[in-house]
Amino acid sequence: MKLFNPITLLLILIGAAMVGFVWLRGPSHELPPVESLANFQMADAPLKLPADGQPRHRLHRMSAWDLATLPRAVRFDPPMGTEQAGLTYNAQKFWEMNNGRGGHHTGDDLNGIGGMNSDLGDPVFAAADGRVLYAGEPSPGWGNTVVVAHHTADGRVLQTMYAHLQNIDVPVGAAVARGRVIGSVGTANGYYPAHLHFEMRESDGVDIGAGYSMNPMNRLDPEATIASMRGAPADRPSPAVLPVALDRGNPWNQVELSPEDAAKLGEILKREPAADGE
Ligand SMILES: [Zn+2]
């Protein structure tokens, strides 16, 4: 007795070929596009590091190259208002409990003293020298958001995060100096009256997370952290760069000058400004 007549055998073969074709071409056998390795410097970066100009806000780790080239931040200033945070107030302080949102506030809400939308479009400054790790809109509620990484004088990697911005003035990867305008105060697409949600974290990766939480995780109190690293009394503007370089007694000063260079800089500082200067 014949088990299979030729027609049945043919149908079985065609069926098997179709299943095999689908299996081989199926999505589970397609490798995800490699988005890393844009250049040799990123060779140790994990896959999915944004190398295509489309920043993502989850699991973005800094590469060894990013860490090695991170600018050293010797001083931190408030990100809004004057250098002493004048003309601003903190409407919702770090770790205040917000029952309506079901958690503690993960940053400071900085406002212009005029209240409501009077600070809409006001400049937002980089709090310290650093590099832009993220610039984008992680969600409508966060609005335009910038994350800057800083290498502190004591070797930590800190981040400052600026959220609800009206617009962003710096690209990802840019080195920014303390006081550089990185964007302007906004409303997060009209979700809130204009204010700056400002966070600080100790981290070498970007994880935007939520604005309210029951666990502080890597978040720091921005006001206290900046006060501890301002390098100037609360009622004084931060000093300019050259006096800082000459101030050897300051623990945040990492600049080592030879006596000759220090003498030269001292002479430069004593000079009268040029008539057409400033
Ligand atoms: Zn906030």
Side-chain angles (χ1 to χ4, degrees):
M1 187 179 95
K2 268 174 142 186
L3 270 178
F4 300 110
N5 65 41
I7 302 290
T8 310
L9 196 58
L10 190 62
L11 286 173
I12 288 171
L13 282 174
I14 289 171
M18 286 171 71
V19 167
F21 181 78
V22 168
W23 183 78
L24 283 172
R25 296 294 304 267
S28 64
H29 290 266
E30 284 173 13
L31 286 173
V34 175
E35 299 180 27
S36 182
L37 310 180
N39 56 51
F40 74 94
Q41 292 157 349
M42 298 169 78
D44 63 348
L47 293 177
K48 293 290 183 185
L49 193 79
D52 55 1
Q54 296 297 315
R56 296 176 187 83
H57 61 283
R58 291 191 176 88
L59 301 176
H60 173 177
R61 309 299 301 180
M62 294 179 72
S63 69
W65 179 263
D66 289 333
L67 286 168
T69 58
L70 199 55
R72 184 64 62 100
V74 292
R75 285 168 196 278
F76 283 70
D77 277 336
M80 238 183 105
T82 68
E83 283 176 308
Q84 299 102 316
L87 307 177
T88 65
Y89 69 98
N90 191 347
Q92 188 176 205
K93 286 187 164 54
F94 177 73
W95 218 240
E96 266 182 33
M97 182 63 195
N98 186 318
N99 289 315
R101 303 296 297 270
H104 299 271
H105 191 226
T106 52
D108 283 337
D109 280 347
L110 305 177
N111 285 255
I113 52 173
M116 293 312 286
N117 279 341
S118 63
D119 52 358
L120 183 64
D122 279 4
V124 173
F125 310 107
D129 297 351
R131 189 178 300 284
V132 178
L133 269 193
Y134 175 85
E137 186 169 13
S139 71
W142 274 119
N144 287 323
T145 300
V146 171
V147 176
V148 180
H150 314 274
H151 194 179
T152 65
D154 60 355
R156 289 181 295 163
V157 177
L158 298 190
Q159 291 176 5
T160 48
M161 182 174 121
Y162 315 77
H164 310 337
L165 300 173
Q166 185 176 47
N167 49 282
I168 292 175
D169 293 336
V170 284
V172 172
V176 292
R178 173 170 60 90
R180 162 80 150 86
V181 173
I182 54 114
S184 57
V185 176
T187 62
N189 303 293
Y191 273 75
Y192 314 104
H195 72 276
L196 174 68
H197 176 96
F198 178 67
E199 289 192 17
M200 287 191 73
R201 302 171 178 198
E202 182 162 359
S203 171
D204 60 357
V206 174
D207 174 23
I208 301 291
Y212 297 90
S213 173
M214 294 309 288
N215 188 327
M217 295 181 285
N218 55 11
R219 274 100 163 188
L220 306 171
D221 179 337
E223 202 172 292
T225 306
I226 284 182
S228 74
M229 291 193 288
R230 259 198 92 226
D235 60 346
R236 298 267 182 83
S238 286
V241 173
L242 280 180
V244 171
L246 294 171
D247 176 12
R248 290 159 163 270
N250 191 304
W252 295 105
N253 176 18
Q254 292 293 298
V255 180
E256 279 299 325
L257 294 174
S258 68
E260 296 78 34
D261 286 343
K264 267 186 231 164
L265 285 173
E267 286 304 313
I268 291 168
L269 285 173
K270 278 187 225 146
R271 277 184 209 154
E272 292 292 318
D276 58 348
E278 304 292 303

